[in-house]
């Protein structure tokens, strides 16, 4: 239901942007597959996580279901969080997110991913674009003007990644070199698996 398309990517990233701002959360990396997603985030307090995930999953389900014309249950289970306990685990989780798609044999190289992913922003240090449809305002406005569309209530948004805490002391170029080395390694492993 989250299959990649330009519109789906912007919707997912827009919802994530709103959730991050609303709950004061920092995101270090993310990857949306066609039926789940991975995030590395830092939260101000543990009780913020449940509210953040509820907002993110609820809005994702509603907007993605509209886009693909889905009426059934969207998520198969409740979100699952895993605490990242030390510096080594932060780096391992980042590498895991960057390997998505390649390790499954779906992509030759992580930047080839057409959907919502942080890989390009990690490499280029650029803001991540998204869109947000203000459905509440649209609902009220349509009561007096039924001709209005969601495009009239769609706003662009963006957010930036925060470096992993363990990498906070590194420059962007130093972080990019590490990420590129991982990508090259994953791409080489993928190519070797194909040749076998």
């Amino acid at each position: 239901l989250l299959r990649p398309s330009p519109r789906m990517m912007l919707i997912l990233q827009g919802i994530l942007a709103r959730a991050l701002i609303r709950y004061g959360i920092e995101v270090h990396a993310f990857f949306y597959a066609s039926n789940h997603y991975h995030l590395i985030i830092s939260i101000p307090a543990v009780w913020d996580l449940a509210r953040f995930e509820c907002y993110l999953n609820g809005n994702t389900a509603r907007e993605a279901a509209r886009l693909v014309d889905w009426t059934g249950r969207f998520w198969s289970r409740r979100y699952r969080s895993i605490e990242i306990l030390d510096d080594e685990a932060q780096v391992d989780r980042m590498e895991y997110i960057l390997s998505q798609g390649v390790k499954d044999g779906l992509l030759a190289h992580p930047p080839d991913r057409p959907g919502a992913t942080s890989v390009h922003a990690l490499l280029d240090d650029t803001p991540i674009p998204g869109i947000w449809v203000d459905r509440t305002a649209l609902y009220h406005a349509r009561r007096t003007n039924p001709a209005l569309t969601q495009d009239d209530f769609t706003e662009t948004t963006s957010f930036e990644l925060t470096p992993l805490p363990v990498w906070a002391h590194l420059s962007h170029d130093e972080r990019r070199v590490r990420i590129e080395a991982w990508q090259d390694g994953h791409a080489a492993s993928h190519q070797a698996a194909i040749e076998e």
Side-chain angles (χ1 to χ4, degrees):
L1 298 176
L2 299 175
R3 60 183 173 260
S5 70
R7 178 84 176 172
M8 182 69 79
M9 178 188 72
L10 289 173
I11 287 171
L12 296 174
Q13 292 174 177
I15 294 167
L16 181 55
R18 295 288 289 222
L20 294 169
I21 293 166
R22 186 176 184 128
Y23 296 102
I25 293 191
E26 295 177 336
V27 64
H28 310 292
F30 65 92
F31 175 87
Y32 282 84
S34 60
N35 63 352
H36 69 284
Y37 62 88
H38 298 278
L39 301 171
I40 300 176
I41 58 175
S42 291
I43 56 176
V46 71
W47 51 81
D48 292 320
L49 180 60
R51 293 184 301 180
F52 167 78
E53 285 293 344
C54 181
Y55 184 88
L56 181 64
N57 286 345
N59 281 290
T60 297
R62 284 187 292 277
E63 291 300 323
R66 276 188 182 96
L67 188 60
V68 298
D69 197 27
W70 180 259
T71 57
R73 182 177 174 157
F74 194 86
W75 300 111
S76 65
R77 64 179 184 204
R78 188 176 181 270
Y79 79 90
R80 184 174 60 146
S81 64
I82 301 169
E83 189 174 2
I84 301 174
L85 299 174
D86 57 38
D87 293 352
E88 184 179 343
Q90 288 179 44
V91 176
D92 287 346
R93 292 293 89 199
M94 177 68 85
E95 186 173 8
Y96 177 78
I97 283 182
L98 292 175
S99 73
Q100 296 299 304
V102 177
K103 71 177 181 60
D104 303 320
L106 301 172
L107 306 171
H109 208 251
D112 296 342
R113 170 74 180 159
T117 176
S118 58
V119 67
H120 300 290
L122 287 165
L123 293 170
D124 303 333
D125 198 26
T126 54
I128 298 163
I131 58 173
W132 174 260
V133 180
D134 187 340
R135 299 256 172 225
T136 304
L138 173 60
Y139 170 79
H140 291 298
R142 275 187 176 162
R143 294 173 74 181
T144 56
N145 185 355
L148 292 171
T149 68
Q150 71 178 15
D151 291 340
D152 298 311
F153 292 86
T154 299
E155 57 191 66
T156 59
T157 185
S158 67
F159 63 98
E160 295 184 8
L161 299 173
T162 302
L164 286 174
V166 69
W167 285 358
H169 66 286
L170 300 176
S171 70
H172 168 69
D173 289 338
E174 291 169 318
R175 294 190 304 269
R176 187 181 70 235
V177 165
R178 292 176 188 216
I179 291 166
E180 286 174 342
W182 285 340
Q183 289 184 6
D184 293 343
H186 290 304
S189 296
H190 172 72
Q191 187 61 38
I194 291 172
E195 291 170 0
E196 289 178 1

